Each structure stands twice: as structure tokens, then as C-alpha cells.
Amino acid sequence: MKKCIERKMGIKNILALALSALTIFGACMIGLSNEAFAAGSVDASILGSTNGKSYTNEYFGVKIPLFKNSTIGTDADLAADNGVDPNGYSADKRIAAINAGEHVYIQHFESNNNVVSIAVGKFDSKEEKQIFMKTIAKEDLQSTIDAWNEDPDFTISESGLKKINCFGKDRPVILVKGQYAGRNFTSAHTFYFKDDCYMEVLIDGYGRNQTEVLKKSSLLKK
């Protein structure tokens, strides 16, 4: 599984670059005179919490089940996910990075055959959010395909956007299936939006049950 995790880190880096490019494109389209989408800053609630069996995020109002015997990523793991110095890396630094407009990996769960990662980001304007929501699915799908095509151990057999009922309604899910070093492998991820923030849920691993986690993901009862 270690090699799959390393490949996954490559996907994260490519996605971060894609999001950065999209933000620049949005700024060019909407101009610098736009009012800020939200003056407030996010707090620790955006990071969520886990009881070992599921991940709960009160800010977004969602709950995501975890694979059996999942381990929770440490600050060092999240530093690696975000490509930053692990020395002194903490939740406070993740919150500061989100408020600075960065795409930040906030949770990392690893089981024998799967890795589940949660990332969040904050929009600067309504227009930027609209552009992001209209284009990110296709951009993310192509970035994922390009990343896996770079790996000689991975052969894609199926890729595309699939509507899956998760978080209370049908949502587009980026889905790439194939063979990794001779074993079935699936990459599935989707986005959830609330106010001026977004959450990305990424599930990569052996087998074909990755979408089951998304199907069981739900909204918290108010």
C-alpha cells in the first residue's frame, strides 16, 4: 500500500496546482475590485474530529464512515500531504493556511487497503466559487487521469464522472478504476460546498468498494 500512498501524494500536488491555476483564472475574470466573499475567518470546527469509526465535521455538517481498522494521520503525515515542513506543524497552522486561501489537507485516515483524505479551502468571492463549481469536476478528473497515466504500474480501465448519492443528494464523483501492480485499484473523490468554503473527500485504494464510503456519508441531523 505504501507505493499507492506515494502515488496519491502526486495526485494531491497536481490537484493543488490545478486549483491554484483556477484561482488565478477566476481573478482575471472577475477583476480585483470584487468585494470579499466573506470577511470572517474559519476556526477549529472546520478541521472536524473522529471517533475511530467515522469522521464528523460540524462546520460542514457532514459525517463520513471510515474503513475498518483505520489509523488517524499525525501532524507529520498532514505536513507531508501539504508539502510543508513538519517541524512544529499543527492544527493552528492548518487553520491559518485555510484562512490565507490555501488548499489544505486537514485529515488523513489509512487502513490496510485504502487511504481517505479530507481537504478544505476558502473562496475569496462568489464569482470565484461559481467558476470553481462549474469547472472543478472536469479539471480534477483530467488531473487524476494524467497523474495515474504517469505511473507505469497503473493501467486505467475506466474513468469518468459518476453521479452518486452522498451527503443527502446525487453529486458528481470523480472515478478512476484500473490495475495497480496487478491488483484492482480505485480512486474516487468529490466536493461538498458550504458558504464560502469547500471540502474535498478523496478515497484511493485496492478493490472496488471506495464509493461505498461516499454512499454512506451523510448530513448531520440539526
Side-chain angles (χ1 to χ4, degrees), residues 138-154:
K138 291 183 179 179
E139 292 280 345
D140 195 6
L141 173 62
Q142 191 57 54
S143 295
T144 304
I145 292 171
D146 291 345
W148 286 113
N149 278 334
E150 290 178 2
D151 194 322
D153 289 329
F154 192 85

Side-chain angles (χ1 to χ4, degrees), residues 70-216:
S70 291
T71 58
I72 303 171
T74 63
D75 284 336
D77 292 326
L78 292 171
D81 290 354
N82 288 302
V84 299
D85 186 348
N87 208 10
Y89 192 62
S90 64
D92 287 342
K93 290 191 175 182
R94 289 189 282 282
I95 295 169
I98 295 166
N99 284 319
E102 296 181 25
H103 179 77
V104 181
Y105 290 88
I106 58 170
Q107 296 286 350
H108 175 121
F109 307 103
E110 185 177 335
S111 65
N112 289 337
N113 293 315
N114 295 277
V115 176
V116 178
S117 295
I118 314 292
V120 300
K122 193 170 184 291
F123 298 108
D124 291 330
S125 66
K126 291 182 180 179
E127 289 84 355
E128 184 184 53
K129 179 180 179 180
Q130 290 169 353
I131 292 170
F132 186 96
M133 291 180 71
K134 288 179 179 179
T135 61
I136 188 56
K138 291 183 179 179
E139 292 280 345
D140 195 6
L141 173 62
Q142 191 57 54
S143 295
T144 304
I145 292 171
D146 291 345
W148 286 113
N149 278 334
E150 290 178 2
D151 194 322
D153 289 329
F154 192 85
T155 303
I156 295 176
S157 60
E158 178 186 343
S159 63
L161 297 174
K162 182 178 180 180
K163 289 276 188 171
I164 292 178
N165 189 284
C166 56
F167 302 123
K169 70 175 187 178
D170 286 348
R171 301 178 188 279
V173 173
I174 292 88
L175 196 62
V176 177
K177 296 181 180 180
Q179 293 280 316
Y180 192 94
R183 297 178 65 183
N184 286 340
F185 193 87
T186 303
S187 176
H189 36 114
T190 192
F191 289 84
Y192 183 81
F193 300 88
K194 180 183 177 183
D195 300 331
D196 61 341
C197 293
Y198 65 85
M199 168 188 285
E200 181 191 20
V201 182
L202 305 98
I203 307 171
D204 286 353
Y206 293 120
R208 293 285 185 258
N209 66 339
Q210 286 69 25
T211 56
E212 294 305 309
V213 167
L214 292 177
K215 291 176 182 178
K216 294 176 182 178

